[in-house]
Amino acid sequence: MPIAAFGAIHLDTIAHADRRILRETSTPASLAIRPGGVATNVARALARLDCRVSLAGRLGREAEADGLLAHLAGEGVDTGAIRRADLPSGRYLALHDPDGTLAAAVVDARITETLEPGALLPPTKAQEASGCWFLDANLPQPLLVELAEAAAGRRLAADAVSRAKAARLAPILPRVDLLFCNRAEAAALLGRDSEHDEGQQEPGDSGAEVATALVTAGAGAVVMTRGAAPVLLATRGGIDEISLTTREGAAAPAPRIVDVTGAGDALIAGTLAGLEHGLALADAVAAGMRAAALTLESPGAVAGTLNWPAIAPNG
């Protein structure tokens, strides 16, 4: 069945510097403008993974936004639910050091942050036909609540997006069948964000207790990333650690990082695609990790090498 994604639609400017980026001086770099935003990255990746997908969000009326709509449609994303407004389209600027790590980033998301209840409803025919709705926490909390209610009996997946936005999902957590987050976002969603700095955890803290707490709070299942460590999959049946493997199931080498942009979104898309292709949840997460690895090894948020045969389990 089709998948419907709701959330941020950005025009990304990605800079790759040829030396370490320093403050208060210019740095030689190559710049590229691409589609971006969590829901957009997930939708684009799903289209490459042989899934029918529609995207809902809001864009401005600039010529660049017209070009972005055409680009998305050309990639196989249904854009019929994208609204237009007189605000500037969302924009994201990322500065990457030569090793692919993110040195700094800024975002102008006013067009998404000001979406009001009712702005993305009623559902289009494509959304009505979708068996899974995916929400990203870039959307305001009242709209997230409204969409979770409108999802009715569909599978509902959600991404916490950031430590600052994760708590927006708290009212709908019991309705979320599959939650994607990192350790810091999980803590923020549980109201424990003062315990740790962003991305940090205390020695001996595997994150399992926090992931389990999210399930206890109502989430059906939690996929929690921990940097280079194996992903945690928490369900009511317990906790599993899922490492990066080849399609044959053997341990895979760590990816050679070119660009971290979109890796988490690729994990989401690969997991949802795996479920749509009939995989068990743990196998679907493993497929999502292979999608994330391909993305880390490629420039941009969606790897040109990404397709279903590249991440599906062999046999």
Side-chain angles (χ1 to χ4, degrees):
M1 297 182 70
I3 298 173
F6 299 78
I9 308 171
H10 294 161
L11 292 159
D12 282 3
T13 300
I14 309 297
H16 286 278
D18 66 4
R19 65 202 68 185
R20 189 168 67 87
I21 294 172
L22 302 174
R23 291 180 61 87
E24 300 180 8
T25 186
S26 63
T27 305
S30 60
L31 277 71
I33 298 177
R34 300 185 174 97
V38 172
T40 302
N41 294 339
V42 170
R44 295 177 63 217
L46 283 167
R48 296 190 64 88
L49 294 171
D50 297 341
C51 293
R52 288 181 292 159
V53 59
S54 65
L55 175 62
R58 189 158 66 180
L59 273 175
R61 304 188 190 279
E62 313 96 330
E64 288 174 296
D66 294 337
L68 176 54
L69 277 176
H71 184 101
L72 292 171
E75 291 186 317
V77 176
D78 184 319
T79 61
I82 296 177
R83 274 59 169 183
R84 308 296 292 271
D86 292 329
L87 291 167
S89 293
R91 293 181 183 270
Y92 173 76
L93 170 62
L95 307 178
H96 291 270
D97 282 327
D99 63 358
T101 56
L102 184 66
V106 292
V107 62
D108 179 355
R110 288 171 290 169
I111 196 166
T112 300
E113 295 283 351
T114 56
L115 279 165
E116 63 283 347
L120 300 182
L121 293 174
T124 63
K125 289 183 179 179
Q127 292 167 333
E128 287 279 13
S130 297
C132 173
W133 282 14
F134 167 74
L135 312 180
D136 83 41
N138 286 299
L139 297 173
Q141 188 175 85
L143 184 53
L144 288 166
V145 171
E146 180 183 63
L147 290 171
E149 293 174 352
R154 300 174 178 86
R155 175 187 290 133
L156 187 67
D159 180 38
V161 174
S162 71
R163 182 177 179 177
K165 298 176 180 178
R168 296 178 182 181
L169 297 176
I172 68 169
L173 192 59
R175 177 62 186 85
V176 174
D177 299 299
L178 184 56
L179 171 69
F180 296 88
C181 60
N182 64 25
R183 173 65 179 80
E185 293 159 0
L189 182 47
L190 290 166
R192 306 178 185 179
D193 54 330
S194 62
E195 295 180 6
H196 303 286
D197 292 332
E198 182 76 46
Q200 294 184 345
Q201 58 190 54
E202 295 176 352
D205 176 11
S206 69
E209 186 275 330
V210 175
T212 300
L214 287 170
V215 174
T216 301
V222 176
V223 177
M224 195 174 84
T225 58
R226 303 177 296 165
V231 166
L232 287 185
L233 173 59
T235 66
R236 289 176 175 83
I239 289 274
D240 288 318
E241 285 194 346
I242 302 180
S243 301
L244 179 63
T245 61
T246 66
R247 294 175 59 228
E248 292 74 28
R256 182 181 62 85
I257 298 175
V258 171
D259 187 342
V260 298
T261 305
D265 306 332
L267 169 65
I268 295 168
T271 302
L272 295 181
L275 293 173
E276 291 301 309
H277 285 288
L279 298 183
L281 179 55
D283 293 332
V285 174
M289 292 183 69
R290 289 189 283 273
L294 286 175
T295 303
L296 286 169
E297 294 177 339
S298 305
V302 179
T305 54
L306 182 64
N307 56 55
W308 179 243
I311 69 168
N314 190 1

